[in-house]
Amino acid sequence: MAATVIDGKAFAAQVRGQVAEHVARLKQDHGITPGLAVVLVGEDPASQVYVRSKGKQTVEAGMKSVEHKLDAETSEADLLKVIEDLNNDPSIHGILVQLPLPKHLDEDLVINSIAPEKDVDGFHISNVGLLGTGQKSMVPCTPLGCLMMLRDHHGSLSGMDAVVIGRSNIVGKPMAQLLLGDSCTVTIAHSRTKDLADVVRRADIVVAAVGRPEMVPGDWIKPGATVIDVGINRLDAPEKGEGKTKLVGDVHYESCAAAAGAITPVPGGVGPMTIACLLANTVTACCRANGLAEPEGLTA
Ligand code: GUN
């Protein structure tokens, strides 16, 4: 039977709608407008595209959007001062420093200077620790989006075998913690894993987050498994014309879709969920800062 294609674009639109509704209620009932600040250092073209998109969607959801664009030579002290000011600004509930940072800046130091309760990326060491111990935290956006899609498709994930391929701090590790929190049996696989094919073949849920184009073939997928593809890789596509490129995920879509019960496409799967979850995290942070009830279904 053909796999269900999990439509991340439609799901993200639904999440943004829920966020916008909650924002409208916060304004109407409490006179509060959630605010998100994004800090971009340097001119990395991909980062500029992301930041523009984040700002646009923040405003569309009815929230305040602030952008700090700093030049590539900005000193660590100047960047830390920008973050300190945002930490102390009561109109700002979420702060995101776009990564990667230029080489002369210490990424860990910068991220850990963000007030944990405003760390809508969930990268601060306090949030990492809270998530790891099953306590209320800010949850990284991409894994949160994956979890929402999995819960929506399956209902309960309890007892399922999940394999996360990739051990990054941004996706792999927090994804594994979230799946564990939902009572999956979790394996984290990575570049040194022995016989990855065998490990993946046991999984009811496969989350691929390695950044290697089409590395998971369909014959690794247990029939009926759910495949969540976090990869966004650009490949040359001469078949589309000279100089053309195409986006592919970390799984080989056609063969994996033939075996899977459900699969996220690239593009249009996990990608759109990341910014939707950033907006959700900003509303959550705003509610917590004001001692108000959190939006239901938008947190882990
Ligand atoms: N760069 C790529 N992905 C992300 C993300 O989720 N958050 C931040 N801050 N930077 C990124």
Side-chain angles (χ1 to χ4, degrees):
M1 213 171 76
T4 300
V5 179
I6 299 176
D7 186 344
K9 208 171 152 192
F11 201 128
Q14 189 187 315
V15 171
R16 289 197 303 271
Q18 284 171 264
V19 167
E21 261 175 43
H22 212 85
V23 169
R25 224 172 304 138
L26 281 170
K27 278 188 200 175
Q28 196 175 12
D29 298 350
H30 304 282
I32 298 167
T33 301
L36 172 65
V38 174
V39 181
L40 173 64
V41 186
E43 274 99 46
D44 177 65
S47 292
Q48 285 178 324
V49 172
Y50 280 128
V51 167
R52 213 174 305 132
S53 191
K54 284 169 188 165
K56 184 167 169 278
Q57 293 186 36
T58 303
V59 171
E60 281 170 1
M63 298 195 275
K64 169 176 160 166
S65 168
V66 174
E67 281 177 22
H68 287 269
K69 293 187 176 163
L70 309 176
D71 68 48
E73 280 78 45
T74 299
S75 71
E76 202 159 84
D78 285 350
L79 175 57
L80 293 177
K81 177 72 174 72
V82 168
I83 293 171
E84 189 192 343
D85 289 347
L86 292 169
N87 283 341
N88 293 326
D89 182 343
S91 76
I92 295 298
H93 306 94
I95 302 169
L96 178 145
V97 177
Q98 185 67 30
L99 303 177
L101 288 171
K103 292 278 171 287
H104 68 284
L105 298 168
D106 179 341
E107 226 160 71
D108 288 336
L109 179 79
V110 170
I111 294 303
N112 289 324
S113 74
I114 298 171
E117 63 278 11
K118 295 191 179 189
D119 167 38
V120 281
D121 258 329
F123 296 164
H124 189 290
I125 191 71
S126 295
N127 282 314
V128 175
L130 289 167
L131 178 62
T133 50
Q135 299 179 71
K136 192 186 268 193
S137 65
M138 296 306 303
V139 177
C141 304
T142 301
L144 178 57
C146 296
L147 183 74
M148 283 183 187
M149 292 194 287
L150 284 166
R151 283 179 177 170
D152 183 66
H153 184 72
H154 287 285
S156 169
L157 308 181
S158 181
M160 295 179 83
D161 276 314
V163 170
V164 179
I165 315 174
R167 54 176 155 179
S168 73
N169 292 334
I170 293 182
V171 183
K173 287 181 201 159
M175 185 76 247
Q177 295 288 4
L178 288 171
L179 291 165
L180 194 57
D182 271 26
S183 302
C184 291
T185 302
V186 184
T187 303
I188 306 179
H190 47 78
S191 54
R192 302 291 174 90
T193 296
K194 281 189 217 149
D195 210 343
L196 182 58
D198 267 5
V199 172
V200 175
R201 278 188 192 115
R202 291 200 293 268
D204 304 308
I205 293 170
V206 180
V207 180
V210 266
R212 282 182 54 196
E214 301 178 326
M215 73 156 287
V216 177
D219 67 353
W220 290 9
I221 302 299
K222 176 159 120 179
T226 298
V227 177
I228 305 289
D229 192 350
V230 181
I232 301 176
N233 310 286
R234 197 168 279 285
L235 287 188
D236 289 334
E239 73 278 8
K240 291 169 81 181
E242 195 174 312
K244 295 283 187 205
T245 60
K246 63 177 176 182
L247 289 180
V248 300
D250 289 349
V251 313
H252 184 268
Y253 185 80
E254 284 76 17
S255 60
C256 288
I263 188 166
T264 60
V266 177
V270 174
M273 288 297 288
T274 296
I275 298 182
C277 288
L278 173 67
L279 305 181
N281 276 351
T282 305
V283 174
T284 299
C286 177
C287 291
R288 288 180 186 169
N290 288 283
L292 298 168
E294 293 173 22
E296 258 174 51
L298 296 180
T299 50

